[in-house]
Short mmCIF file of all heavy atoms in Angstrom, two decimals:
data_model
loop_
_atom_site.label_atom_id
_atom_site.label_comp_id
_atom_site.label_asym_id
_atom_site.label_seq_id
_atom_site.Cartn_x
_atom_site.Cartn_y
_atom_site.Cartn_z
N MET A 1 -146.96 112.70 -222.04
CA MET A 1 -145.70 112.93 -222.62
C MET A 1 -145.79 113.46 -224.04
O MET A 1 -145.07 114.39 -224.44
CB MET A 1 -144.84 111.68 -222.57
CG MET A 1 -143.46 111.86 -223.02
SD MET A 1 -142.57 112.94 -221.88
CE MET A 1 -140.96 112.84 -222.55
N ILE A 2 -146.70 112.91 -224.79
CA ILE A 2 -146.88 113.33 -226.19
C ILE A 2 -147.37 114.76 -226.24
O ILE A 2 -146.97 115.55 -227.09
CB ILE A 2 -147.89 112.38 -226.93
CG1 ILE A 2 -147.39 110.97 -226.89
CG2 ILE A 2 -148.23 112.88 -228.31
CD1 ILE A 2 -146.48 110.62 -228.01
N LYS A 3 -148.27 115.14 -225.28
CA LYS A 3 -148.79 116.53 -225.27
C LYS A 3 -147.70 117.52 -224.98
O LYS A 3 -147.70 118.58 -225.57
CB LYS A 3 -149.89 116.64 -224.17
CG LYS A 3 -151.21 115.98 -224.58
CD LYS A 3 -152.27 116.25 -223.54
CE LYS A 3 -153.54 115.58 -223.92
NZ LYS A 3 -154.60 115.81 -222.96
N VAL A 4 -146.80 117.12 -224.13
CA VAL A 4 -145.67 118.03 -223.81
C VAL A 4 -144.77 118.23 -225.02
O VAL A 4 -144.36 119.38 -225.34
CB VAL A 4 -144.82 117.47 -222.59
CG1 VAL A 4 -143.55 118.25 -222.39
CG2 VAL A 4 -145.63 117.39 -221.36
N LEU A 5 -144.52 117.16 -225.76
CA LEU A 5 -143.72 117.24 -227.00
C LEU A 5 -144.43 118.11 -228.05
O LEU A 5 -143.80 118.89 -228.75
CB LEU A 5 -143.45 115.86 -227.54
CG LEU A 5 -142.44 115.05 -226.74
CD1 LEU A 5 -142.35 113.62 -227.32
CD2 LEU A 5 -141.14 115.68 -226.69
N LYS A 6 -145.75 117.99 -228.12
CA LYS A 6 -146.51 118.79 -229.09
C LYS A 6 -146.41 120.28 -228.75
O LYS A 6 -146.24 121.14 -229.56
CB LYS A 6 -147.94 118.35 -229.16
CG LYS A 6 -148.14 117.02 -229.93
CD LYS A 6 -149.54 116.60 -229.91
CE LYS A 6 -150.39 117.39 -230.84
NZ LYS A 6 -151.73 116.87 -231.04
N VAL A 7 -146.54 120.59 -227.43
CA VAL A 7 -146.45 121.96 -226.97
C VAL A 7 -145.05 122.52 -227.23
O VAL A 7 -144.89 123.69 -227.67
CB VAL A 7 -146.81 122.09 -225.49
CG1 VAL A 7 -146.53 123.42 -224.90
CG2 VAL A 7 -148.31 121.75 -225.33
N VAL A 8 -144.06 121.75 -226.90
CA VAL A 8 -142.67 122.20 -227.17
C VAL A 8 -142.40 122.40 -228.65
O VAL A 8 -141.80 123.40 -229.05
CB VAL A 8 -141.65 121.17 -226.55
CG1 VAL A 8 -140.24 121.47 -227.00
CG2 VAL A 8 -141.77 121.22 -225.05
N ALA A 9 -142.84 121.47 -229.51
CA ALA A 9 -142.65 121.62 -230.92
C ALA A 9 -143.40 122.85 -231.44
O ALA A 9 -142.86 123.59 -232.30
CB ALA A 9 -143.15 120.41 -231.65
N HIS A 10 -144.59 123.07 -230.95
CA HIS A 10 -145.33 124.28 -231.37
C HIS A 10 -144.65 125.55 -230.93
O HIS A 10 -144.61 126.54 -231.67
CB HIS A 10 -146.75 124.25 -230.87
CG HIS A 10 -147.68 125.22 -231.55
ND1 HIS A 10 -148.68 124.86 -232.36
CD2 HIS A 10 -147.67 126.60 -231.52
CE1 HIS A 10 -149.30 125.94 -232.80
NE2 HIS A 10 -148.71 127.01 -232.31
N ALA A 11 -144.11 125.54 -229.73
CA ALA A 11 -143.39 126.72 -229.25
C ALA A 11 -142.13 127.04 -230.08
O ALA A 11 -141.89 128.16 -230.41
CB ALA A 11 -143.02 126.55 -227.77
N VAL A 12 -141.38 125.97 -230.38
CA VAL A 12 -140.20 126.15 -231.23
C VAL A 12 -140.63 126.66 -232.61
O VAL A 12 -139.97 127.55 -233.18
CB VAL A 12 -139.41 124.83 -231.31
CG1 VAL A 12 -138.32 124.88 -232.38
CG2 VAL A 12 -138.84 124.48 -229.97
N TRP A 13 -141.65 126.06 -233.19
CA TRP A 13 -142.16 126.50 -234.45
C TRP A 13 -142.57 127.97 -234.45
O TRP A 13 -142.28 128.74 -235.38
CB TRP A 13 -143.34 125.63 -234.92
CG TRP A 13 -144.00 126.09 -236.16
CD1 TRP A 13 -145.22 126.77 -236.18
CD2 TRP A 13 -143.58 125.93 -237.49
NE1 TRP A 13 -145.52 127.05 -237.48
CE2 TRP A 13 -144.55 126.57 -238.30
CE3 TRP A 13 -142.49 125.32 -238.07
CZ2 TRP A 13 -144.42 126.58 -239.69
CZ3 TRP A 13 -142.35 125.39 -239.44
CH2 TRP A 13 -143.32 126.01 -240.23
N ALA A 14 -143.29 128.34 -233.39
CA ALA A 14 -143.70 129.76 -233.25
C ALA A 14 -142.55 130.71 -233.16
O ALA A 14 -142.54 131.75 -233.84
CB ALA A 14 -144.63 129.87 -232.05
N ILE A 15 -141.62 130.40 -232.35
CA ILE A 15 -140.43 131.25 -232.21
C ILE A 15 -139.68 131.38 -233.51
O ILE A 15 -139.24 132.49 -233.95
CB ILE A 15 -139.52 130.74 -231.09
CG1 ILE A 15 -140.23 130.95 -229.74
CG2 ILE A 15 -138.20 131.46 -231.12
CD1 ILE A 15 -139.52 130.24 -228.55
N PHE A 16 -139.53 130.25 -234.23
CA PHE A 16 -138.79 130.25 -235.48
C PHE A 16 -139.49 131.08 -236.56
O PHE A 16 -138.92 131.91 -237.24
CB PHE A 16 -138.59 128.80 -235.94
CG PHE A 16 -137.93 128.73 -237.32
CD1 PHE A 16 -136.57 128.96 -237.45
CD2 PHE A 16 -138.68 128.39 -238.44
CE1 PHE A 16 -135.99 128.92 -238.73
CE2 PHE A 16 -138.09 128.30 -239.64
CZ PHE A 16 -136.76 128.56 -239.81
N THR A 17 -140.81 130.85 -236.74
CA THR A 17 -141.56 131.51 -237.80
C THR A 17 -141.73 133.00 -237.52
O THR A 17 -141.59 133.85 -238.45
CB THR A 17 -142.91 130.88 -238.05
OG1 THR A 17 -143.67 130.92 -236.83
CG2 THR A 17 -142.80 129.48 -238.57
N ILE A 18 -142.03 133.39 -236.30
CA ILE A 18 -142.12 134.79 -236.02
C ILE A 18 -140.76 135.51 -236.10
O ILE A 18 -140.69 136.58 -236.72
CB ILE A 18 -142.73 135.00 -234.56
CG1 ILE A 18 -144.17 134.52 -234.54
CG2 ILE A 18 -142.63 136.46 -234.12
CD1 ILE A 18 -144.77 134.45 -233.16
N GLY A 19 -139.75 134.88 -235.62
CA GLY A 19 -138.44 135.45 -235.78
C GLY A 19 -137.97 135.57 -237.21
O GLY A 19 -137.41 136.62 -237.65
N LEU A 20 -138.23 134.58 -238.01
CA LEU A 20 -137.84 134.57 -239.44
C LEU A 20 -138.64 135.62 -240.22
O LEU A 20 -138.09 136.34 -241.01
CB LEU A 20 -138.01 133.18 -240.06
CG LEU A 20 -137.57 133.04 -241.49
CD1 LEU A 20 -136.02 133.25 -241.60
CD2 LEU A 20 -137.93 131.67 -242.00
N GLY A 21 -139.91 135.66 -239.95
CA GLY A 21 -140.73 136.67 -240.64
C GLY A 21 -140.31 138.11 -240.29
O GLY A 21 -140.19 138.94 -241.18
N THR A 22 -139.98 138.35 -239.04
CA THR A 22 -139.53 139.70 -238.62
C THR A 22 -138.12 139.98 -239.27
O THR A 22 -137.94 141.06 -239.71
CB THR A 22 -139.45 139.73 -237.10
OG1 THR A 22 -140.74 139.39 -236.57
CG2 THR A 22 -139.08 141.11 -236.62
N LEU A 23 -137.28 138.99 -239.21
CA LEU A 23 -135.95 139.18 -239.80
C LEU A 23 -135.97 139.50 -241.28
O LEU A 23 -135.34 140.45 -241.76
CB LEU A 23 -135.10 137.97 -239.56
CG LEU A 23 -133.66 137.99 -240.13
CD1 LEU A 23 -132.81 139.02 -239.36
CD2 LEU A 23 -133.00 136.65 -240.06
N ILE A 24 -136.78 138.73 -242.00
CA ILE A 24 -136.87 138.98 -243.48
C ILE A 24 -137.50 140.32 -243.75
O ILE A 24 -136.99 141.09 -244.59
CB ILE A 24 -137.70 137.84 -244.12
CG1 ILE A 24 -136.89 136.56 -244.07
CG2 ILE A 24 -138.05 138.20 -245.58
CD1 ILE A 24 -137.66 135.33 -244.53
N GLY A 25 -138.57 140.68 -243.05
CA GLY A 25 -139.19 141.96 -243.29
C GLY A 25 -138.27 143.13 -242.95
O GLY A 25 -138.20 144.13 -243.66
N THR A 26 -137.61 143.03 -241.82
CA THR A 26 -136.73 144.09 -241.37
C THR A 26 -135.55 144.28 -242.32
O THR A 26 -135.17 145.39 -242.70
CB THR A 26 -136.22 143.82 -239.96
OG1 THR A 26 -137.39 143.66 -239.08
CG2 THR A 26 -135.35 144.94 -239.43
N SER A 27 -134.92 143.18 -242.72
CA SER A 27 -133.77 143.27 -243.60
C SER A 27 -134.16 143.80 -244.98
O SER A 27 -133.45 144.62 -245.56
CB SER A 27 -133.05 141.94 -243.71
OG SER A 27 -133.88 140.98 -244.29
N TYR A 28 -135.28 143.36 -245.51
CA TYR A 28 -135.73 143.87 -246.79
C TYR A 28 -136.09 145.36 -246.70
O TYR A 28 -135.71 146.13 -247.60
CB TYR A 28 -136.93 143.10 -247.30
CG TYR A 28 -137.36 143.53 -248.66
CD1 TYR A 28 -136.76 143.05 -249.81
CD2 TYR A 28 -138.44 144.45 -248.81
CE1 TYR A 28 -137.19 143.42 -251.02
CE2 TYR A 28 -138.83 144.84 -250.10
CZ TYR A 28 -138.23 144.34 -251.21
OH TYR A 28 -138.63 144.74 -252.42
N GLY A 29 -136.77 145.74 -245.63
CA GLY A 29 -137.11 147.14 -245.45
C GLY A 29 -135.90 148.00 -245.27
O GLY A 29 -135.83 149.13 -245.73
N TRP A 30 -134.91 147.52 -244.52
CA TRP A 30 -133.65 148.32 -244.30
C TRP A 30 -132.91 148.55 -245.62
O TRP A 30 -132.45 149.62 -245.87
CB TRP A 30 -132.79 147.55 -243.28
CG TRP A 30 -131.50 148.25 -243.07
CD1 TRP A 30 -130.28 147.90 -243.65
CD2 TRP A 30 -131.25 149.35 -242.26
NE1 TRP A 30 -129.32 148.77 -243.22
CE2 TRP A 30 -129.86 149.67 -242.35
CE3 TRP A 30 -132.08 150.17 -241.44
CZ2 TRP A 30 -129.30 150.73 -241.65
CZ3 TRP A 30 -131.46 151.21 -240.78
CH2 TRP A 30 -130.11 151.47 -240.87
N VAL A 31 -132.82 147.47 -246.41
CA VAL A 31 -132.02 147.58 -247.64
C VAL A 31 -132.73 148.50 -248.65
O VAL A 31 -132.06 149.32 -249.33
CB VAL A 31 -131.81 146.20 -248.26
CG1 VAL A 31 -131.24 146.28 -249.70
CG2 VAL A 31 -130.84 145.39 -247.36
N HIS A 32 -134.01 148.41 -248.81
CA HIS A 32 -134.75 149.10 -249.83
C HIS A 32 -135.38 150.40 -249.42
O HIS A 32 -135.69 151.24 -250.28
CB HIS A 32 -135.79 148.18 -250.48
CG HIS A 32 -135.19 147.01 -251.16
ND1 HIS A 32 -134.52 147.13 -252.39
CD2 HIS A 32 -135.12 145.69 -250.82
CE1 HIS A 32 -134.08 145.95 -252.75
NE2 HIS A 32 -134.41 145.06 -251.82
N HIS A 33 -135.70 150.60 -248.13
CA HIS A 33 -136.40 151.80 -247.70
C HIS A 33 -135.86 152.53 -246.50
O HIS A 33 -136.43 153.52 -246.08
CB HIS A 33 -137.86 151.40 -247.43
CG HIS A 33 -138.53 150.73 -248.55
ND1 HIS A 33 -138.95 151.36 -249.73
CD2 HIS A 33 -138.94 149.44 -248.72
CE1 HIS A 33 -139.47 150.50 -250.54
NE2 HIS A 33 -139.50 149.33 -249.97
N GLY A 34 -134.78 152.04 -245.90
CA GLY A 34 -134.21 152.72 -244.69
C GLY A 34 -134.93 152.36 -243.45
O GLY A 34 -135.56 151.33 -243.31
N TRP A 35 -134.79 153.29 -242.45
CA TRP A 35 -135.33 153.05 -241.08
C TRP A 35 -136.81 152.75 -241.14
O TRP A 35 -137.31 151.86 -240.46
CB TRP A 35 -135.00 154.21 -240.21
CG TRP A 35 -133.69 154.15 -239.63
CD1 TRP A 35 -132.62 154.90 -240.05
CD2 TRP A 35 -133.19 153.36 -238.53
NE1 TRP A 35 -131.49 154.59 -239.29
CE2 TRP A 35 -131.87 153.65 -238.32
CE3 TRP A 35 -133.84 152.42 -237.73
CZ2 TRP A 35 -131.10 153.04 -237.38
CZ3 TRP A 35 -133.09 151.80 -236.78
CH2 TRP A 35 -131.72 152.11 -236.57
N LEU A 36 -137.55 153.63 -241.78
CA LEU A 36 -139.00 153.56 -241.74
C LEU A 36 -139.46 152.22 -242.43
O LEU A 36 -140.36 151.54 -241.91
CB LEU A 36 -139.64 154.73 -242.45
CG LEU A 36 -141.17 154.81 -242.45
CD1 LEU A 36 -141.64 154.92 -241.01
CD2 LEU A 36 -141.60 155.99 -243.25
N GLY A 37 -138.81 151.88 -243.52
CA GLY A 37 -139.17 150.60 -244.17
C GLY A 37 -138.83 149.43 -243.30
O GLY A 37 -139.57 148.42 -243.27
N ALA A 38 -137.74 149.49 -242.55
CA ALA A 38 -137.40 148.42 -241.65
C ALA A 38 -138.41 148.23 -240.55
O ALA A 38 -138.80 147.12 -240.24
CB ALA A 38 -136.02 148.65 -241.05
N ILE A 39 -138.90 149.32 -240.01
CA ILE A 39 -139.90 149.25 -238.96
C ILE A 39 -141.25 148.73 -239.48
O ILE A 39 -141.84 147.81 -238.93
CB ILE A 39 -140.06 150.66 -238.32
CG1 ILE A 39 -138.78 150.98 -237.54
CG2 ILE A 39 -141.25 150.65 -237.37
CD1 ILE A 39 -138.75 152.47 -237.07
N VAL A 40 -141.68 149.28 -240.61
CA VAL A 40 -142.96 148.90 -241.16
C VAL A 40 -142.94 147.44 -241.66
O VAL A 40 -143.82 146.60 -241.32
CB VAL A 40 -143.36 149.86 -242.27
CG1 VAL A 40 -144.64 149.31 -243.04
CG2 VAL A 40 -143.66 151.20 -241.71
N LEU A 41 -141.96 147.11 -242.45
CA LEU A 41 -141.88 145.74 -242.99
C LEU A 41 -141.52 144.74 -241.95
O LEU A 41 -141.95 143.57 -242.03
CB LEU A 41 -140.93 145.66 -244.19
CG LEU A 41 -141.43 146.42 -245.42
CD1 LEU A 41 -140.36 146.36 -246.51
CD2 LEU A 41 -142.72 145.82 -245.95
N GLY A 42 -140.78 145.13 -240.87
CA GLY A 42 -140.53 144.20 -239.80
C GLY A 42 -141.84 143.91 -239.01
O GLY A 42 -142.06 142.78 -238.64
N THR A 43 -142.66 144.90 -238.91
CA THR A 43 -143.98 144.71 -238.26
C THR A 43 -144.89 143.82 -239.06
O THR A 43 -145.55 142.90 -238.56
CB THR A 43 -144.68 146.04 -238.00
OG1 THR A 43 -143.82 146.90 -237.23
CG2 THR A 43 -145.98 145.89 -237.26
N ILE A 44 -144.88 144.01 -240.37
CA ILE A 44 -145.65 143.16 -241.28
C ILE A 44 -145.11 141.71 -241.24
O ILE A 44 -145.88 140.76 -241.16
CB ILE A 44 -145.65 143.70 -242.71
CG1 ILE A 44 -146.43 145.01 -242.75
CG2 ILE A 44 -146.23 142.70 -243.69
CD1 ILE A 44 -146.31 145.80 -244.04
N GLY A 45 -143.80 141.57 -241.24
CA GLY A 45 -143.20 140.27 -241.10
C GLY A 45 -143.52 139.58 -239.83
O GLY A 45 -143.79 138.36 -239.79
N PHE A 46 -143.62 140.36 -238.74
CA PHE A 46 -144.03 139.77 -237.44
C PHE A 46 -145.45 139.24 -237.55
O PHE A 46 -145.73 138.17 -237.06
CB PHE A 46 -143.91 140.87 -236.38
CG PHE A 46 -144.30 140.38 -235.00
CD1 PHE A 46 -143.43 139.74 -234.18
CD2 PHE A 46 -145.58 140.58 -234.56
CE1 PHE A 46 -143.76 139.25 -232.97
CE2 PHE A 46 -145.96 140.15 -233.32
CZ PHE A 46 -145.07 139.48 -232.52
N GLY A 47 -146.32 140.00 -238.17
CA GLY A 47 -147.69 139.56 -238.29
C GLY A 47 -147.86 138.28 -239.14
O GLY A 47 -148.61 137.36 -238.80
N VAL A 48 -147.15 138.28 -240.24
CA VAL A 48 -147.17 137.10 -241.10
C VAL A 48 -146.63 135.85 -240.39
O VAL A 48 -147.12 134.78 -240.45
CB VAL A 48 -146.46 137.33 -242.44
CG1 VAL A 48 -146.28 136.08 -243.24
CG2 VAL A 48 -147.20 138.39 -243.25
N GLY A 49 -145.51 136.08 -239.65
CA GLY A 49 -144.91 135.02 -238.88
C GLY A 49 -145.88 134.52 -237.78
O GLY A 49 -145.93 133.29 -237.54
N ALA A 50 -146.56 135.45 -237.19
CA ALA A 50 -147.55 135.02 -236.15
C ALA A 50 -148.69 134.21 -236.77
O ALA A 50 -149.19 133.25 -236.15
CB ALA A 50 -148.11 136.25 -235.42
N LEU A 51 -149.14 134.59 -237.96
CA LEU A 51 -150.15 133.82 -238.62
C LEU A 51 -149.66 132.43 -238.98
O LEU A 51 -150.37 131.43 -238.85
CB LEU A 51 -150.62 134.50 -239.92
CG LEU A 51 -151.55 135.69 -239.74
CD1 LEU A 51 -151.82 136.37 -241.06
CD2 LEU A 51 -152.85 135.22 -239.12
N PHE A 52 -148.42 132.33 -239.49
CA PHE A 52 -147.86 131.02 -239.79
C PHE A 52 -147.67 130.19 -238.49
O PHE A 52 -147.82 129.00 -238.51
CB PHE A 52 -146.53 131.17 -240.49
CG PHE A 52 -146.64 131.45 -242.00
CD1 PHE A 52 -145.50 131.59 -242.75
CD2 PHE A 52 -147.87 131.46 -242.63
CE1 PHE A 52 -145.57 131.86 -244.09
CE2 PHE A 52 -147.93 131.69 -243.97
CZ PHE A 52 -146.81 131.86 -244.72
N ALA A 53 -147.36 130.83 -237.39
CA ALA A 53 -147.19 130.13 -236.13
C ALA A 53 -148.51 129.59 -235.57
O ALA A 53 -148.59 128.55 -235.01
CB ALA A 53 -146.54 131.06 -235.10
N ALA A 54 -149.58 130.35 -235.86
CA ALA A 54 -150.90 129.93 -235.41
C ALA A 54 -151.47 128.77 -236.22
O ALA A 54 -152.18 127.91 -235.66
CB ALA A 54 -151.90 131.11 -235.45
N PHE A 55 -151.11 128.75 -237.44
CA PHE A 55 -151.62 127.68 -238.38
C PHE A 55 -150.49 126.99 -239.10
O PHE A 55 -150.29 127.23 -240.26
CB PHE A 55 -152.60 128.27 -239.39
CG PHE A 55 -153.74 129.07 -238.76
CD1 PHE A 55 -153.75 130.44 -238.82
CD2 PHE A 55 -154.73 128.40 -238.08
CE1 PHE A 55 -154.81 131.19 -238.27
CE2 PHE A 55 -155.78 129.12 -237.47
CZ PHE A 55 -155.79 130.50 -237.56
N PRO A 56 -149.73 126.15 -238.39
CA PRO A 56 -148.56 125.52 -239.00
C PRO A 56 -148.88 124.64 -240.20
O PRO A 56 -148.08 124.62 -241.14
CB PRO A 56 -147.93 124.73 -237.86
CG PRO A 56 -148.91 124.64 -236.80
CD PRO A 56 -149.89 125.74 -237.01
N GLU A 57 -150.02 123.94 -240.22
CA GLU A 57 -150.30 123.06 -241.36
C GLU A 57 -150.56 123.92 -242.61
O GLU A 57 -150.14 123.49 -243.71
CB GLU A 57 -151.45 122.17 -241.06
CG GLU A 57 -152.77 122.82 -240.58
CD GLU A 57 -152.80 123.16 -239.09
OE1 GLU A 57 -152.06 122.56 -238.35
OE2 GLU A 57 -153.57 124.02 -238.77
N THR A 58 -151.17 125.07 -242.47
CA THR A 58 -151.37 125.96 -243.61
C THR A 58 -150.06 126.48 -244.11
O THR A 58 -149.87 126.60 -245.32
CB THR A 58 -152.34 127.10 -243.27
OG1 THR A 58 -153.55 126.58 -242.70
CG2 THR A 58 -152.66 127.96 -244.45
N ALA A 59 -149.21 126.89 -243.21
CA ALA A 59 -147.94 127.44 -243.60
C ALA A 59 -147.08 126.39 -244.34
O ALA A 59 -146.47 126.63 -245.36
CB ALA A 59 -147.13 127.89 -242.37
N LEU A 60 -147.11 125.14 -243.87
CA LEU A 60 -146.36 124.10 -244.52
C LEU A 60 -146.94 123.76 -245.88
O LEU A 60 -146.28 123.42 -246.84
CB LEU A 60 -146.27 122.87 -243.62
CG LEU A 60 -145.40 123.02 -242.41
CD1 LEU A 60 -145.53 121.80 -241.51
CD2 LEU A 60 -143.96 123.27 -242.73
N GLU A 61 -148.29 123.88 -245.97
CA GLU A 61 -148.95 123.58 -247.25
C GLU A 61 -148.58 124.66 -248.29
O GLU A 61 -148.35 124.35 -249.45
CB GLU A 61 -150.45 123.60 -247.06
CG GLU A 61 -151.24 123.17 -248.26
CD GLU A 61 -152.73 123.09 -247.96
OE1 GLU A 61 -153.07 122.49 -246.94
OE2 GLU A 61 -153.49 123.59 -248.80
N LEU A 62 -148.48 125.90 -247.86
CA LEU A 62 -148.07 127.01 -248.79
C LEU A 62 -146.64 126.85 -249.24
O LEU A 62 -146.30 127.15 -250.38
CB LEU A 62 -148.26 128.35 -248.10
CG LEU A 62 -149.70 128.83 -247.94
CD1 LEU A 62 -149.72 130.10 -247.11
CD2 LEU A 62 -150.34 129.07 -249.27
N LEU A 63 -145.79 126.36 -248.33
CA LEU A 63 -144.40 126.21 -248.66
C LEU A 63 -144.08 124.98 -249.54
O LEU A 63 -143.09 124.96 -250.26
CB LEU A 63 -143.56 126.15 -247.36
CG LEU A 63 -143.53 127.42 -246.51
CD1 LEU A 63 -142.78 127.16 -245.26
CD2 LEU A 63 -142.94 128.61 -247.29
N GLY A 64 -144.96 124.00 -249.44
CA GLY A 64 -144.73 122.75 -250.14
C GLY A 64 -145.24 122.68 -251.52
O GLY A 64 -145.73 123.48 -252.21
#
C-alpha cells in the first residue's frame, strides 16, 4: 500500500512540476519574445520541470 502511495505521489509531483515549468517558460517567452520565445522557453521549462520531477529531493532543497 505504501508503494502505491509513493508512486501516486511521484506521479502527481511529476505532472505538477513539468506542467508548471512549461507554463512559466511559455508565458515568459510569450510576453517577452512572442511565438518563437514561447516555443523555445516552453521547451526549456519542460526540460527543467522534467529534471525536477526526476529528482524531487533536489528540487525541494533548491526551493527551500
Side-chain angles (χ1 to χ4, degrees):
M1 184 66 175
I2 301 273
K3 287 184 181 182
V4 172
L5 289 175
K6 286 177 77 172
V7 168
V8 169
H10 193 113
V12 169
W13 172 259
I15 291 168
F16 176 74
T17 56
I18 292 171
L20 184 65
T22 306
L23 178 70
I24 290 171
T26 304
S27 62
Y28 183 83
W30 176 261
V31 169
H32 294 287
H33 304 289
W35 278 101
L36 185 60
I39 293 169
V40 171
L41 291 176
T43 303
I44 292 171
F46 179 84
V48 171
L51 283 174
F52 279 178
F55 305 108
E57 54 276 341
T58 304
L60 292 175
E61 187 176 313
L62 287 173
L63 296 174

